[in-house]
């Protein structure tokens, strides 16, 4: 783990399917000062390199002492050959291209949810929102991370003798399972439409539209052309029963998936929810995230319900948490 020291700024980049966030960071007082990120729509730039050059030019061509980037997709290769072909964006992000644009010899590249996992030890209490009872994480026990945005990401943080290790994964592409008759009806319809139905098929921004559409078709109602914000707005005012049900289904299914992750990892250190969807709902404070339904499904695991009842769940409120995780590993030397 780098302490972030060295001359010049640290470049940190969080590249998602819809938005790419670039920022500069410096080590201060045992932590990091991270500039407000510049947000670029990935659809507006043909490649990561073009967007990054634009950011560096607008930032005044800063002198860099380290670079760390994360992107939404599986990491392939190691060291100088590491690269990520993004799942929900045509960009390819590589250590080679990061180095060629920035001039830094040894950029770091990791999965986006690995970066989020690395932020967990540095998050303050006020940057976390407890879901359900205020439970205390078991020290140095595994921590699970997941979150919905353009897709659904998942990772974990485990602790070695002298280091923290973020485990990359693609949990958003595991099979979606039904937990009750209504979910089974929806899942059957989605399987007929898509074949394989992954978790992120419903637990993502686009997944909210998928859920709403399936419900409308099941009820024999017209399917209007709605965006995720349209549906959440209708659910918030409770003017549309299908929108309300879609969001409640989302919360329940997310709880079930989070409970599966906790069991798989033995995550007595807690489950942490990031991404663009749920933290945004919680920050608004309007009750759109149904914590009761989430927690009920999180714990509904038969003989292990009592075990899960002791596992804390937190929503990450810090919007630049992934950048914080990147700042903790950015360095000029491997």
């Amino acid at each position: 783990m780098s302490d972030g020291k060295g001359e010049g700024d640290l470049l940190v980049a969080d590249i998602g399917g819809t938005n790419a966030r670039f920022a500069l960071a410096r080590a201060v007082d045992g932590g990091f000062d991270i500039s407000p990120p510049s947000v670029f729509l990935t659809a507006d730039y043909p490649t990561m390199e073009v967007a990054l050059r634009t950011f560096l030019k607008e930032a005044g061509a800063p002198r860099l002492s380290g670079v760390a980037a994360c992107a939404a997709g599986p990491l392939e290769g190691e060291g100088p050959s590491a690269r990520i072909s993004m799942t929900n964006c045509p960009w390819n992000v590589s250590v080679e291209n990061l180095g060629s644009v920035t001039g830094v010899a040894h950029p770091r590249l990791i999965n986006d949810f690995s970066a989020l996992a690395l932020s967990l030890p540095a998050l303050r209490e006020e940057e976390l929102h407890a879901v359900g009872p205020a439970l205390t994480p078991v020290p140095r026990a595994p921590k699970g991370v997941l979150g919905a945005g353009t897709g659904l990401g998942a990772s974990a943080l485990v602790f070695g003798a002298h280091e923290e290790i973020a485990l990359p994964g693609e949990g958003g592409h595991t099979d979606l399972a039904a937990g009750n008759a209504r979910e089974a009806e929806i899942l059957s319809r989605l399987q007929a439409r898509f074949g394989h139905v992954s978790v992120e098929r419903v637990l993502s921004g686009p997944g909210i539209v998928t859920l709403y559409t399936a419900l409308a078709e099941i009820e024999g109602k017209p399917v209007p052309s709605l965006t995720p914000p349209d549906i959440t707005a209708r659910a918030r005012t409770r003017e549309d029963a299908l929108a309300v049900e879609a969001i409640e289904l989302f919360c329940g299914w997310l709880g079930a998936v989070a409970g599966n992750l906790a069991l798989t990892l033995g995550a007595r250190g807690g489950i942490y929810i990031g991404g663009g969807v749920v933290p945004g709902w919680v920050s608004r404070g309007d009750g759109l995230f149904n914590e009761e339904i989430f927690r009920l499904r999180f714990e509904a695991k038969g003989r292990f319900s009592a075990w899960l009842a002791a596992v804390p769940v937190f929503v990450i409120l810090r919007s630049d948490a992934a950048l914080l995780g990147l700042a903790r590993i950015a360095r000029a030397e491997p």
Side-chain angles (χ1 to χ4, degrees), residues 43-319:
D44 290 344
Y45 297 86
T47 65
M48 179 277 297
E49 299 93 294
V50 173
L52 179 53
R53 287 192 182 97
T54 302
F55 168 74
L56 291 173
K57 180 179 180 180
E58 293 176 352
R63 181 180 180 183
L64 301 174
S65 63
V67 173
C70 66
L75 182 69
E76 301 175 6
E78 297 180 355
S81 65
R83 64 196 182 280
I84 293 176
S85 297
M86 297 181 64
T87 306
N88 293 303
C89 169
W91 287 8
N92 292 314
V93 184
S94 70
V95 165
E96 180 181 4
N97 289 341
L98 288 167
S100 67
V101 173
T102 64
V104 171
H106 302 286
R108 301 291 302 277
L109 177 62
I110 60 177
N111 172 266
D112 56 342
F113 271 77
S114 294
L116 195 59
L118 287 167
S119 76
L120 299 182
L123 293 175
R124 301 189 299 271
E125 183 178 352
E126 61 268 24
E127 294 171 334
L128 298 169
H129 170 81
V131 180
L135 303 169
T136 301
V138 174
R140 299 185 64 78
K143 300 176 183 288
V145 189
L146 78 166
T150 305
L152 185 126
S155 183
L157 190 71
V158 297
F159 299 86
H162 305 290
E163 61 181 340
E164 303 153 3
I165 304 168
L167 303 179
E170 290 297 326
H173 298 281
T174 57
D175 294 336
L176 184 68
N180 54 50
R182 185 63 156 174
E183 289 179 355
E185 188 177 18
I186 294 167
L187 182 56
S188 177
R189 182 169 291 271
L190 296 183
Q191 286 172 333
R193 178 180 173 188
F194 298 110
H196 175 251
V197 180
S198 66
V199 168
E200 79 167 22
R201 182 65 73 180
V202 301
L203 296 180
S204 61
I208 293 171
V209 178
T210 300
L211 279 172
Y212 185 94
T213 300
L215 289 171
E217 290 173 350
I218 289 170
E219 297 299 322
K221 295 182 179 180
V223 182
S225 179
L226 299 174
T227 65
D230 292 335
I231 295 169
T232 56
R234 289 178 173 217
R236 192 172 286 116
T237 60
R238 307 192 72 82
E239 66 186 78
D240 183 339
L242 292 182
V244 172
E245 185 178 5
I247 299 304
E248 290 182 348
L249 282 163
F250 181 101
C251 295
W253 244 320
L254 183 64
V257 170
N260 290 343
L261 182 63
L263 286 174
T264 301
L265 297 172
R268 300 302 293 268
I271 293 293
Y272 297 78
I273 302 173
V277 176
V278 174
W281 292 351
V282 172
S283 295
R284 288 180 64 100
D286 55 11
L288 196 61
F289 180 51
N290 193 316
E291 298 185 19
E292 182 178 358
I293 289 176
F294 173 95
R295 192 80 209 192
L296 180 66
R297 292 295 299 281
F298 179 80
E299 298 176 15
K301 302 298 182 186
R303 290 173 293 170
F304 269 77
S305 293
W307 190 93
L308 282 162
V311 175
V313 176
F314 302 97
V315 176
I316 300 170
L317 299 179
R318 178 164 175 162
S319 61

Side-chain angles (χ1 to χ4, degrees), residues 18-45:
T18 302
N19 297 309
R21 297 172 174 84
F22 301 105
L24 300 174
R26 280 184 177 269
V28 291
D29 300 327
F32 291 92
D33 180 21
I34 301 174
S35 67
S38 296
V39 182
F40 293 74
L41 288 173
T42 57
D44 290 344
Y45 297 86

